Amino acid sequence: MNEALLRSLTPGVLAILVRRGADFAAAEDAVQDALVEAVRVWPAESPRDPKGWLITVAWRRFLDASRADTARRRREDRMDEEPAPGAVPAVDDTLQLYFLCAHPSLTPSSAVALTLRAVGGLTTRQIAQAYLVPEATMAQRISRAKRTVSGVRFDKPGDVATVLRVLYLVFNEGYSADVDLAAEAIRLTRQLAAAIDHPEVAGLLALMLLHHARRAARTAPDGSLVPLAEQDRGRWDTALIAEGVDILQAALARDRLGEFQAQAAIAALHADAPTAEEADWVQIAEWYDELVSLTDNPVVRLNRAVAVGEADGPRAGLAALAALDDSLPRYTAVAAYLHERDGDLATAARLYAEAAQKAPNLAERDHLTRQAARLNSRRSR
C-alpha cells in the first residue's frame, strides 16, 4: 500500500466533498472511511484512477451517514450530486483547503489546529508540542473546532495570516524530520506567493528556503544532530540561499515588516556568515528585538537570549534568560550553553543532562547527552 499516495490525495478529496456541500466534520469522517477501505482493497485491485475512486467511496460514505439524521428529500438531493464515474482532473486543492479550514467562525488558533490535524496530517501530540500546551488541551481545542464548523458551509475563505501560520508549522514539523512535510509546505507557499502579492507571504517563503538550504548539514551520517555552529557550510544549498535572500530583500523594500520577514532576516544573517563566530550577532539581536515587539512570543525571547549572549557576552545572555519562565521548552538547554560560554562547566554539564531528560525527540536527547558527557570529560582531566 502506497501511504505517500494516500496522504497526497487526501486534501483534494476532502476539498471536493466540502465543496459539494458536506460539512467539514462529516467530510473528514467519510474520507477517513474511504482511506480505510483503500488500505483493504487496493493491494488486491489497484484502481486506475485512485483519486476518483477515493472521491466516489468517500461521497458514498458521507451519504450513508447522512441518511441516519437527515430528511429523505435532502438525501435525494445529495444523491443527485454523486460524482459520475471516470477520471478526475489532476487539480491540486490543498492550498484551497487550507483557506477553507481557516474559516471566519473559528479563532485563528483553532483554525490552525484543525487544519494541521485534518489536512497537514499531524498528530494531536505534534500540534500540542508546537503550541506548547498539553496534548489533552489540544485534543479539546480540535474537538471544539470540529463542532463549531459542523453544519457550516465552507463558502468563505479564511484569513491569509492564519494560512501562513499553518504552513509554517507544517514546515517546521517536516524540518524536524519527524514527518517529512517541509518540501510540501514550500510548494504550497510558492503557490500562495504566485497568487497573492503580500510581503509576509514572501517573507515566509524566504524563511523556508533559507532554513531548507541548511537541511543537508543538520544531521551527521549516523543521524545525530549537528548544531549550527558546527555545520559544514559547504553543504548548504547556495542556490536556495540566494533565492531566499532575493525574495526577502524585495519584501523588506516594501516597508511593511511582519514576523516572517524578521525571522527570514535573522536566517539570512546566519547564511551570510562564513562561520558562526563571524555572524553579525549585534544585528541578529536587533532583529530579535523587532521580532519580540511584533510577537511577544516566549520562544522568540528565548532565542533572543542566545543572540544577546553572543553579541554582548554570556552574562548578558543569562540575564535575559533569567527574565523568562524556566518551564519553556529548551530553556534548560539554552541555560547550559550560556553557562558553558561563561566558563562554568560544572553547571553547564548538569544542565545539559537535565535538558536531555526533557528533550522532545531522541536525536535532541542524544545530542544533549553527548554535550554533558563532553564537559564532564573535560572536567575530569
Side-chain angles (χ1 to χ4, degrees):
M1 170 55 57
N2 191 331
E3 294 184 5
L5 174 62
L6 287 176
R7 179 185 289 276
S8 68
L9 294 176
T10 298
V13 175
L14 185 54
I16 287 173
L17 263 65
V18 169
R19 285 206 305 269
R20 289 181 176 276
D23 68 71
F24 188 87
E28 185 185 13
D29 289 342
V31 172
Q32 292 301 317
D33 287 345
L35 294 176
V36 171
E37 185 69 5
V39 171
R40 186 182 70 83
V41 172
W42 285 12
E45 186 179 354
S46 181
R48 284 181 294 179
D49 178 18
K51 185 175 181 180
W53 188 98
L54 285 172
I55 291 170
T56 300
V57 173
W59 186 252
R60 287 173 178 166
R61 292 292 188 273
F62 167 71
L63 292 175
D64 289 343
S66 296
R67 290 189 183 98
D69 53 17
T70 59
R72 183 177 182 84
R73 182 182 298 276
R74 187 177 181 186
R75 294 201 306 269
E76 292 173 350
D77 289 341
R78 290 181 182 239
M79 284 293 288
D80 290 339
E81 297 173 8
E82 183 173 345
V88 175
V91 177
D92 185 353
D93 298 296
T94 308
L95 189 58
Q96 180 187 19
L97 192 55
Y98 273 58
F99 272 94
L100 291 175
C101 287
H103 197 271
S105 64
L106 294 172
T107 63
S109 61
S110 293
V112 170
L114 178 62
T115 313
L116 289 172
R117 183 70 186 92
V119 188
L122 275 63
T123 67
T124 303
R125 174 173 296 181
Q126 289 166 336
I127 302 169
Q129 289 173 347
Y131 269 90
L132 310 181
V133 299
E135 183 177 356
T137 300
M138 183 52 64
Q140 293 175 354
R141 183 178 300 177
I142 293 172
S143 294
R144 285 197 300 270
K146 288 183 178 181
R147 288 196 299 270
T148 299
V149 299
S150 180
V152 171
R153 198 171 170 81
F154 280 64
D155 53 359
K156 295 180 180 179
D159 175 63
V160 173
T162 300
V163 173
L164 293 180
R165 177 69 52 205
V166 175
L167 287 169
Y168 188 42
L169 288 173
V170 170
F171 173 81
N172 279 338
E173 196 59 51
Y175 195 64
S176 73
D178 190 21
V179 178
D180 191 10
L181 295 169
E184 172 70 357
I186 291 174
R187 183 183 70 83
L188 292 173
T189 306
R190 284 190 187 279
Q191 285 187 10
L192 188 57
I196 299 177
D197 183 19
H198 192 300
E200 270 294 83
V201 176
L204 177 58
L205 179 57
L207 176 61
M208 288 180 174
L209 294 175
L210 289 164
H211 279 322
H212 206 59
R214 304 199 301 257
R215 186 170 190 176
R218 291 184 72 244
T219 54
D222 63 0
S224 59
L225 289 181
V226 181
L228 177 63
E230 300 172 20
Q231 288 177 14
D232 178 1
R233 298 186 177 219
R235 299 185 65 197
W236 290 3
D237 189 326
T238 55
L240 282 184
I241 290 172
E243 183 185 4
V245 170
D246 286 346
I247 292 171
L248 172 64
Q249 289 176 341
L252 291 175
R254 301 179 64 176
D255 199 25
R256 290 168 54 194
L257 184 64
E259 62 176 293
F260 292 120
Q261 294 169 74
Q263 290 187 62
I266 294 168
L269 287 167
H270 283 300
D272 187 54
T275 67
E277 293 76 15
E278 295 174 86
D280 188 344
W281 285 104
V282 172
Q283 194 174 168
I284 289 172
E286 290 173 351
W287 273 111
Y288 271 116
D289 289 338
E290 291 278 5
L291 198 50
V292 166
S293 69
L294 288 167
T295 68
D296 196 26
N297 185 297
V299 175
V300 171
R301 291 183 179 275
L302 186 67
N303 292 331
R304 175 186 175 276
V306 176
V308 169
E310 298 290 350
D312 301 328
R315 297 282 176 91
L318 287 167
L321 187 66
L324 304 179
D325 185 348
D326 62 7
S327 67
L328 276 173
R330 298 185 174 89
Y331 177 101
T332 309
V334 170
Y337 174 75
L338 291 171
H339 277 290
E340 179 184 357
R341 295 264 287 117
D342 195 39
D344 187 351
L345 302 189
T347 300
R350 174 178 57 79
L351 290 172
Y352 275 130
E354 289 181 14
Q357 295 176 351
K358 304 173 184 177
N361 56 66
L362 182 60
E364 192 168 333
R365 185 177 71 193
D366 289 346
H367 169 71
L368 293 168
T369 300
R370 285 194 297 271
Q371 296 293 85
R374 174 180 58 82
L375 294 187
N376 285 326
S377 177
R378 286 177 56 185
R379 292 173 56 227
S380 64
R381 290 174 186 170

